[in-house]
Amino acid sequence: MTVSTSRAELAAFLRSRRARISPADVGLPPGFRRRTPGLRREELAQLAGVGVTWYTWLEQGRAINASVQVLDAIARTLRLDEAEREHLYRLADVPAFTPQPAACPLEPQIQLILDGMSLPACVYNGRYDLLAWNAPYAQLFTDLVRRRGRERNALWHLFVTPECCMPFVNLAEELPLMVATMRATFARHLGEPAWEGFVRDLSAASPEFAAAWQSHDVAVPGSRLKIFRHAGLGDLRLATQSMQLAGTPELRMIVYTPADAATATALATLDTPLTGCEKHREPA
């Protein structure tokens, strides 16, 4: 990671967070001729108790040092949640939030664990590359597991697959959360060609991803509700549980559990995969 890259990312993140705080949110009058969608820089600096010039330089990406206390004040003023706060500190290179070591290779025993599970399960890295999966997962994401290289990536698959081929129903709610989760991990990989190339190419392939990425939202992995539509069984409602693998800080095992009795029954009888539409379906 280069200093200039991390500072540029920090500047963009601060601007995006400042833009979402309105004067009314912090007890300030709206004023007239306000061109800024959220707080002005001087307003934020005053509320955080820092110098206007210093904060302006920070938001311009200049190479200045920020203490934990000052970043705490800025984070409180911007109303950052836990994921956003860690993201801010990491971009500012605060020692308390230095990047974790790179993930180790996937242990072969992980596949044995996956194969021993009756529920759909897989392993992703921080970029949502699909590294391992079991047979029930392949029933849900048949088209994804057939892909190779860069395209065997959940984000790539979900953003570039035509809507007519996508059995994942609640994409509008889930995709922004997935992008925000990847954005939080991206802070550890600034300046790495593989990561920056992935973001650049997926942004070119999908305007929707580009817009979500530019929002600078960040999130931590957590339980989500995924809804899939099966031609014969109807909607399958599955809750995902995300578990970090020991010794591999960016690898997560995702397990899909039935969210209701109907889905549990459907999963037990699922013998045909969720695939694309007839027009675009690829041969098995």
Side-chain angles (χ1 to χ4, degrees):
M1 177 195 308
T2 65
V3 172
S4 60
T5 301
S6 62
R7 289 292 173 173
E9 185 75 8
L10 173 62
F13 179 67
L14 286 171
R15 288 193 296 269
S16 71
R17 301 304 89 174
R18 178 167 58 84
R20 72 180 184 179
I21 304 293
S22 71
D25 291 336
V26 292
L28 294 176
F32 298 100
R33 298 181 181 178
R34 177 177 288 272
R35 294 178 297 176
T36 303
L39 291 178
R40 298 186 177 103
R41 285 175 177 167
E42 57 269 24
E43 291 170 337
L44 188 143
Q46 181 180 7
L47 290 167
V50 300
V52 175
T53 300
W54 182 91
Y55 179 78
T56 299
W57 287 351
L58 184 67
E59 199 174 282
Q60 289 175 343
R62 298 196 189 188
I64 58 175
N65 295 323
S67 68
V68 173
Q69 293 77 12
V70 169
L71 288 178
D72 276 343
I74 293 172
R76 286 194 299 269
T77 305
L78 292 174
R79 301 185 176 185
L80 303 186
D81 61 24
E82 180 183 353
E84 293 170 326
R85 183 183 292 264
E86 180 174 350
H87 190 64
L88 170 67
Y89 287 30
R90 191 179 302 280
L91 293 175
D93 197 25
V94 172
F97 289 91
T98 52
Q100 295 174 306
C104 302
L106 189 65
E107 295 290 340
Q109 292 84 355
I110 298 300
Q111 188 63 56
L112 294 176
I113 295 172
L114 292 172
D115 292 339
M117 301 174 67
S118 60
L119 294 171
C122 70
V123 174
Y124 293 131
N125 63 14
R127 200 170 56 204
Y128 282 96
D129 293 326
L130 178 62
L131 304 181
W133 63 91
N134 60 10
Y137 178 90
Q139 295 278 62
L140 293 178
F141 292 98
T142 308
D143 293 335
L144 174 57
V145 302
R146 290 174 180 168
R147 303 297 174 184
R148 296 291 183 271
R150 170 181 287 183
E151 293 188 8
R152 186 178 282 172
N153 175 283
L155 280 175
W156 190 281
H157 173 68
L158 294 173
F159 274 105
V160 305
T161 298
E163 185 177 353
C164 59
C165 297
M166 178 54 65
F168 194 168
V169 176
N170 58 329
L171 277 174
E173 299 144 20
E174 289 303 300
L175 281 182
L177 288 171
M178 293 177 68
V179 174
T181 302
M182 178 188 158
R183 167 67 86 168
T185 306
F186 181 75
R188 302 188 187 108
H189 300 276
L190 292 173
E192 294 183 20
W195 278 74
E196 297 195 344
F198 178 85
V199 171
R200 181 181 61 251
D201 293 347
L202 185 51
S203 296
S206 170
E208 292 78 13
F209 172 81
W213 188 255
Q214 288 303 317
S215 74
H216 287 269
D217 289 340
V218 291
V220 295
S223 179
R224 315 285 194 216
L225 178 66
K226 315 279 188 179
I227 305 174
F228 301 87
R229 184 155 296 151
H230 188 276
L233 300 173
D235 286 355
L236 307 178
R237 300 171 61 84
L238 295 158
T240 62
Q241 305 298 325
S242 176
M243 295 167 281
Q244 180 179 314
L245 299 183
T248 53
E250 290 187 9
L251 298 191
R252 293 173 286 120
M253 180 177 290
I254 311 297
V255 181
Y256 294 72
T257 61
D260 52 42
T263 298
T265 301
L267 277 184
T269 60
L270 184 63
D271 56 4
T272 56
L274 282 72
T275 56
C277 69
E278 293 292 339
K279 178 180 178 181
H280 298 109
R281 183 173 298 162
E282 296 185 3

